[in-house]
Amino acid sequence: MVNPIAIAVGVSRTMDDVIPQWSKLLGGLFFSFWVLAHLYPFAKGLMGRTPTIVYLWSGFIVITISLLGVVISPPSANSQIGGSYTS
């Protein structure tokens, strides 16, 4: 449950950063998905069949926490989407 929340927080922080570091995000996402993929059979065997409401509430909580992070620390008015790249 913590790993998907951490993924959502990492993506939202990278998108809201003045100079986003996409390589750090991709490395973190790769490792997080690797951990989730390897722990999935263990968690499934431990819990049995997970009710659908657990998935719905998990998604709701992740979305709520992500939106709260944007409300608490909104991006500044002069920040550009995608960083400050100039050609």
Side-chain angles (χ1 to χ4, degrees), residues 9-30:
V9 169
V11 169
S12 65
R13 282 187 181 175
T14 300
M15 292 176 70
D16 288 340
D17 199 9
V18 176
I19 301 173
Q21 297 178 351
W22 295 105
S23 60
K24 268 188 171 179
L25 175 67
L26 290 176
L29 287 177
F30 174 77

